[in-house]
Amino acid sequence: MVRFIGGKNKIILDLACGTGILSTFIPNGTANSKIIGSDLTFDYLRLAKKRQSYVLLTNSLAEFLPYKDNCFDVIISSYLAKYTNLSAMVKEHWRVLRKDGIIIVHDFTYPNSNLVRILWHVYFRILNQLGKVITSWQEVFSNLDKLIQLNPWVNNLVRELDTIGFRSISKNYYTYGTSAIVRAIK
Ligand SMILES: C[S@@+](CC[C@H](N)C(=O)[O-])C[C@H]1O[C@@H](n2cnc3c(N)ncnc32)[C@H](O)[C@@H]1O
């Protein structure tokens, strides 16, 4: 993901940056890139600010971005796609990205293989049990498995990107089909 972003003087939006974990993998400053973070949850932004030197952090929705048209070179998001209104998000991506700008979207997926599905359900059962003990995990993992299972975000996103005019759209699955990355160019 980070290799794909590479290049000089890029303006990068980490959409739904949360507490800033993903942004820390982007080599800020070394290639004169500027990172802007954006998230719905204000309290996460406080933590993100401590973790990474963003040029700007905004408390905003992915479906309604407070940025000018054609201002970003790259938009990345991790673990957002399953929560968002993809049609509205893609329209905003199209509006705020520069020509030849890149989007990279990463999230969990429900695996295809029956064997992996069995292991996947066992894994989530363990996480849900742990959530009963570690209360801070409860909110994060409650219904996450059902959300992933019921949300075919990869194909929906590819369709939305294609409809609005993105090119070179690709989708790749990782870790036995339990996550995916969709990339596209404006
Ligand atoms: C699982 S966290 C991932 C955070 C970060 N991307 C990471 O990889 O660590 C999901 C984040 O999406 C944010 N979020 C959910 N729906 C959103 C929306 N519609 N617009 C903006 N942010 C949203 C939440 O506030 C949360 O910070």
Side-chain angles (χ1 to χ4, degrees), residues 16-18 21 39-41 44 60-63 78-80 83-84:
C17 63
I21 295 170
D39 199 280
L40 169 67
T41 311
Y44 290 167
S60 48
L61 279 168
E63 298 86 348
S78 190
Y79 305 122
L80 167 69
Y83 297 118
T84 190

Side-chain angles (χ1 to χ4, degrees), residues 23-79:
S23 301
T24 58
F25 292 97
I26 304 167
N28 194 9
T30 50
N32 295 323
S33 291
K34 293 184 172 63
I35 307 175
I36 291 170
S38 171
D39 199 280
L40 169 67
T41 311
F42 184 75
D43 286 345
Y44 290 167
L45 296 174
R46 286 181 202 274
L47 297 169
K49 194 175 176 184
K50 290 183 188 155
R51 194 172 251 147
Q52 169 71 285
S53 54
Y54 294 95
V55 291
L56 180 68
L57 278 169
T58 61
N59 187 201
S60 48
L61 279 168
E63 298 86 348
F64 196 70
L65 296 173
Y67 307 115
K68 290 192 296 186
D69 297 354
N70 310 307
C71 62
F72 292 105
D73 298 292
V74 182
I75 302 177
I76 55 172
S77 66
S78 190
Y79 305 122

